[in-house]
Amino acid sequence: MTKKPAKLEMIASVTAQFCENYGLKQGFNHVDFDHFIEEATPHMFLRQREWQDNCDNGTDGEGKELPRGDKYGRQLLPYVPVNQRGADGQKRMCTYRRLKGNGEARMVGDVSAGFGGHADKADVLAPTVHPQGLVVDNLGSIPDWAATIMANAHREVGKEELRFWATLNGEMYLVNPTTHPEFFQWKFEGLIIDNSNDVGWLHLGIVVSCLVHPDIRITSGEADKLELMAPMTPRELLDADLPREPWTTILAEYLADEPYRADPLV
């Protein structure tokens, strides 16, 4: 029987050299989002995920096999902490445990406070106006990377990984950031670089937080992949004896040290 070819999944990346030149360091990086996108755009590209994850880098000078994956590019991965205020007014993050269905065996059992996935070809949006005001014939072929990142965040959080339920006219309805933006407030937080493991060094975490209206009920949209846990503040998450994924630790440490208080109620 002929083996079916692997699915050609195209995902967005930025060159590793640009990340280094831009000054991104291990851990959480404070940057201006608009400036980052403007500077990074010439260095962003779409490439097959299978190759980016698994290309062979050979061995080091002593014959030790190097980690697999495209060392020249970092895959763009919007990482969305979903927050909601409780009756006490305290803002807490949705947390979840990764299950076997998530497709990444190395992360099964880890606790996470970030939702989202790779920005892929389906998320790519083109600008309606050329950023330099130029008139061009192929404007539709120029990705608007800021809009693409947000389209990915809306899709992953609002239509795949989570379900948001609102009571409208006495009835429960599914809502999402695209159809009912009034229930969601977005804020760019920064970027995550994590070279501590074989997964992290292939990615660039783009942290965009989502504050959800307190009246919205949140459930899992992928019961085989993620199990929702009790919401926690960043400090509660850090103090809990839980097997956190590295990005979540980086995120929680940043949020616990920052004024996790200034966002207005939606």
Side-chain angles (χ1 to χ4, degrees):
M1 181 181 293
T2 304
K3 184 179 180 180
K4 289 185 177 180
K7 180 182 178 182
L8 183 62
E9 181 183 4
M10 303 294 288
I11 58 175
S13 295
V14 63
T15 64
Q17 187 63 57
F18 169 78
C19 293
E20 180 178 341
N21 293 344
Y22 198 74
L24 300 182
K25 305 294 185 183
Q26 171 72 24
F28 199 93
N29 293 263
H30 296 273
V31 302
D32 178 84
F33 184 64
D34 291 335
H35 183 267
F36 171 76
I37 291 296
E38 180 180 357
E39 295 294 314
T41 289
H43 308 276
M44 291 180 176
F45 56 91
L46 289 167
R47 187 171 288 168
Q48 187 180 3
R49 180 179 180 182
E50 176 66 23
W51 187 89
Q52 289 197 97
D53 280 345
N54 298 305
C55 67
D56 192 346
N57 290 314
T59 60
D60 62 14
E62 299 178 355
K64 181 181 178 181
E65 185 174 340
L66 294 171
R68 302 178 74 85
D70 178 18
K71 61 184 179 182
Y72 299 107
R74 283 186 177 271
Q75 301 165 29
L76 303 183
L77 207 159
Y79 198 63
V80 183
V82 175
N83 309 300
Q84 197 171 33
R85 293 191 189 275
D88 60 358
Q90 178 70 49
K91 188 168 66 172
R92 292 180 174 85
M93 300 186 295
C94 291
T95 57
Y96 66 95
R97 193 182 305 275
R98 293 187 183 274
L99 304 178
K100 291 183 178 180
N102 84 93
E104 178 50 78
R106 291 170 290 188
M107 301 174 74
V108 171
D110 285 352
V111 170
S112 177
F115 296 86
H118 294 85
D120 61 32
K121 188 177 180 180
D123 300 312
V124 173
L125 295 175
T128 56
V129 178
H130 191 280
Q132 275 76 50
L134 303 177
V135 177
V136 294
D137 294 330
N138 63 338
L139 185 61
S141 68
I142 303 172
D144 181 334
W145 291 110
T148 295
I149 289 165
M150 289 308 302
N152 170 269
H154 281 208
R155 174 177 61 81
E156 291 278 0
V157 173
K159 298 179 182 179
E160 296 186 9
E161 295 189 333
L162 293 174
R163 295 288 184 269
F164 300 98
W165 301 86
T167 301
L168 304 172
N169 299 321
E171 299 287 339
M172 290 290 289
Y173 291 93
L174 271 174
V175 297
N176 65 61
T178 303
T179 61
H180 294 79
E182 66 271 20
F183 294 121
F184 305 89
Q185 180 176 308
W186 299 86
K187 177 187 175 186
F188 173 71
E189 303 283 359
L191 305 172
I192 290 177
I193 291 282
D194 178 27
N195 296 321
S196 68
N197 57 76
D198 290 351
V199 177
W201 75 282
L202 295 174
H203 297 84
L204 175 65
I206 303 175
V207 182
V208 184
S209 64
C210 179
L211 181 60
V212 181
H213 193 284
D215 293 338
I216 296 294
R217 177 172 172 249
I218 304 174
T219 62
S220 173
E222 297 178 327
D224 63 324
K225 297 181 180 181
L226 58 92
E227 174 189 14
L228 288 184
M229 302 168 60
M232 301 185 211
T233 66
R235 179 53 56 191
E236 288 170 343
L237 181 55
L238 291 172
D239 291 343
D241 184 18
L242 294 170
R244 298 183 302 270
E245 65 184 21
W247 279 21
T248 286
T249 297
I250 292 171
L251 173 66
E253 288 175 344
Y254 156 71
L255 292 175
D257 291 336
E258 287 294 306
Y260 201 55
R261 63 188 186 282
D263 297 319
L265 289 171
V266 290

